[in-house]
Amino acid sequence: MTVDPDKKKRMMTYRWIVFAVLALAYFFVYFHRVSGGAANEEIIAAFDGTVSASQLGLLASAYLYAYTIMQIPSGILTDTLGPKKASTIFVFLIAIGSFLGAYAATPGVQNFTLLVVAKFIIGVGAAVVYIPIMKVLAMWFRKSEFATMSGVLLLIGNVGALAASTPMVMMFQSMGVDMTYVVLAVITIVIAVLCWLFIADHPTNKGFPAIEEVESDETGKPITESSSEKLSVFTALKEIFTSGRKFWPMAIWFFFMYGTIMLWQASLMGPYYKSSGIFTFDTSLVFMMPAVGFAIGCFLAGILADRVFHSKKKVLVIGTIVYTVVWAVIAFTQIDSAPVQMAINIAFGFFGGWFVVSYGQIKELYPLAVAGTSSAAINLFPFLGGAVLTTVAGFIVTDNLADQFQTVWYAVLVMMVIACACAFMTVEKAKD
């Protein structure tokens, strides 16, 4: 098949506009996701010291529970409405949740339950951002670019996580929790407008060739699958959830892998360093290190999978094993040194970020027509893991004591041993 060179050139340019808008939205998805981890003290102060450790755990998990509940609906919405409508509507919902959070934290109102509700609404909106991006990557980028672009996306997301660590604390301290949420709401409304103006669901919507036509023109290979094909939601879900080893080892792996990432980065990291009595150094810079590691690790993992190993599973297995070793270091050492703890947290984020290749691995096992649903199905499990683990940990770490944290760390090691076994059991599509 011969593709018009001019249309191909314009398509290859416009896809970066679509990606840039969605990546900007994803920056704030990550910002909201981890915004409580380092700012617990500021949130407690905003509510006059009436908030307990278990309540903070509930606040962190509210977003994750919402994100989890919305995964299958987000895939269905993305495949039926298209990325343009789905992302616009739900980015705007993030803004509504942010305004509600501002009201909940307003002096004189100070309703923590309402703040939890706001966080839940933000989680619902944020859940329908990532899946449209995965759909866009599948529709606008070559198969050989998918893992790399997923890594670029997670890099941007983790810059958002960086902004949600020390800079977020500074915003809370200077502007107050309520006004910080107002600023976030206004920014999010602007992003929703950009989504509506610039996102296109499929290249053909702009008069461009489909990505499979571009690949066929470049390689000379016949088109074997159409990105415009439609498949019923029921058929898609049945195919995914009854596919045995293709799906379930990765689902279990993701539950523990990302669940433990959220347990540390979005919930227990701040209290552990500030309140356990083990560490005496200034922890402000340490809070930023997991996001630094993630930003680098996610980006590098995609390149390693696409261009070095030519295998997503190999990257997945290596990253899981080393990430587990880092958890062992956290569990068995308590070195009172800022540089050492910074190094540990960079390594935590760097190898934890290698999870990004899993989306490319799972996407290749199912038809392009259900790229949104298959991504959402697997994405259900990491956020279910995060929600469950942060909630359970909130009941264990009730007084921020060293032995309470230690109990959680030992449990995490057991989980990660299981995750390592599951990583080896995952399936990868054979190369053509």
Side-chain angles (χ1 to χ4, degrees), residues 50 53 71 93 95 97 105 127 148 197 240 245 256 276 309 325 392 426 428:
T50 60
Q71 284 313 296
L93 187 62
T148 299
L197 292 176
I240 293 164
R245 192 180 161 194
F256 291 126
S276 64
F309 291 105
V325 171
V392 172
T426 60
E428 183 170 36

Side-chain angles (χ1 to χ4, degrees), residues 49 61 91 130 213 216-217 261 266 307-308 365 429:
S61 62
V91 168
Y130 185 75
E213 295 173 348
S216 176
D217 180 62
I261 289 173
R307 303 181 187 179
V308 179
L365 299 174
K429 184 179 180 181

Side-chain angles (χ1 to χ4, degrees), residues 30-40 43 119 164-165 168 172 181:
Y30 246 78
F31 189 96
H32 280 290
R33 185 179 303 167
V34 302
S35 60
N40 283 339
I43 293 172
K119 194 81 167 180
S165 53
M168 179 68 164
F172 276 169
Y181 271 111

Side-chain angles (χ1 to χ4, degrees), residues 68-364:
T68 301
I69 292 168
M70 284 300 297
Q71 284 313 296
I72 299 302
S74 73
I76 295 170
L77 288 166
T78 299
D79 284 335
T80 54
L81 294 178
K84 180 189 181 80
K85 290 181 181 177
S87 58
T88 300
I89 293 168
F90 285 89
V91 168
F92 187 75
L93 187 62
I94 296 175
I96 293 174
S98 298
F99 277 124
L100 185 61
Y103 176 73
T106 300
V109 178
Q110 294 168 301
N111 187 325
F112 189 79
T113 300
L114 194 59
L115 183 63
V116 173
V117 172
K119 194 81 167 180
F120 187 89
I121 292 172
I122 290 169
V124 170
V128 194
V129 173
Y130 185 75
I131 301 306
I133 300 176
M134 291 294 100
K135 183 84 170 184
V136 162
L137 292 184
M139 297 299 108
W140 286 82
F141 290 83
R142 303 176 184 90
K143 292 179 182 178
S144 60
E145 297 173 315
F146 190 89
T148 299
M149 292 307 301
S150 297
V152 172
L153 177 68
L154 267 293
L155 185 155
I156 294 168
N158 279 287
V159 174
L162 271 171
S165 53
T166 301
M168 179 68 164
V169 173
M170 295 171 64
M171 288 177 68
F172 276 169
Q173 290 173 343
S174 62
M175 300 171 57
V177 175
D178 53 341
M179 285 307 301
T180 299
Y181 271 111
V182 169
V183 171
L184 292 175
V186 172
I187 293 172
T188 310
I189 289 173
V190 172
I191 296 172
V193 173
L194 293 175
C195 288
W196 182 254
L197 292 176
F198 294 106
I199 293 174
D201 295 338
H202 195 275
T204 55
N205 291 358
K206 289 286 185 180
F208 303 142
I211 190 63
E212 64 268 22
E213 295 173 348
V214 171
E215 290 190 277
S216 176
D217 180 62
E218 292 173 343
T219 64
K221 295 180 180 180
I223 296 173
T224 57
E225 184 179 8
S226 172
S227 59
S228 302
E229 181 185 353
K230 300 294 182 182
L231 196 64
S232 76
V233 171
F234 177 78
T235 301
L237 291 174
K238 182 179 178 181
E239 179 176 348
I240 293 164
F241 283 108
T242 61
S243 56
R245 192 180 161 194
K246 285 170 63 177
F247 182 79
W248 288 106
M250 183 169 287
I252 297 169
W253 165 84
F254 226 160
F255 179 95
F256 291 126
M257 182 75 181
Y258 198 75
T260 57
I261 289 173
M262 286 290 95
L263 178 66
W264 178 257
Q265 189 180 16
S267 182
L268 292 187
M269 182 185 179
Y272 180 58
Y273 282 120
K274 290 181 178 180
S275 307
S276 64
I278 296 173
F279 306 103
T280 59
F281 56 82
D282 180 5
T283 59
S284 58
L285 287 178
V286 177
F287 293 136
M288 300 176 67
M289 294 305 106
V292 171
F294 274 117
I296 301 169
C298 290
F299 179 68
L300 181 62
I303 294 175
L304 289 174
D306 283 340
R307 303 181 187 179
V308 179
F309 291 105
H310 301 289
S311 167
K312 297 170 182 66
K313 180 176 178 176
K314 289 179 182 178
V315 174
L316 186 90
V317 170
I318 294 169
T320 304
I321 291 172
V322 182
Y323 172 81
T324 303
V325 171
V326 174
W327 262 115
V329 172
I330 293 172
F332 294 114
T333 67
Q334 291 83 33
I335 301 171
D336 190 10
S337 165
V340 170
Q341 295 302 321
M342 288 171 69
I344 289 171
N345 280 281
I346 288 176
F348 175 94
F350 182 82
F351 290 102
W354 287 25
F355 78 82
V356 67
V357 301
S358 61
Y359 293 104
Q361 186 173 335
I362 201 78
K363 179 191 74 71
E364 292 176 355

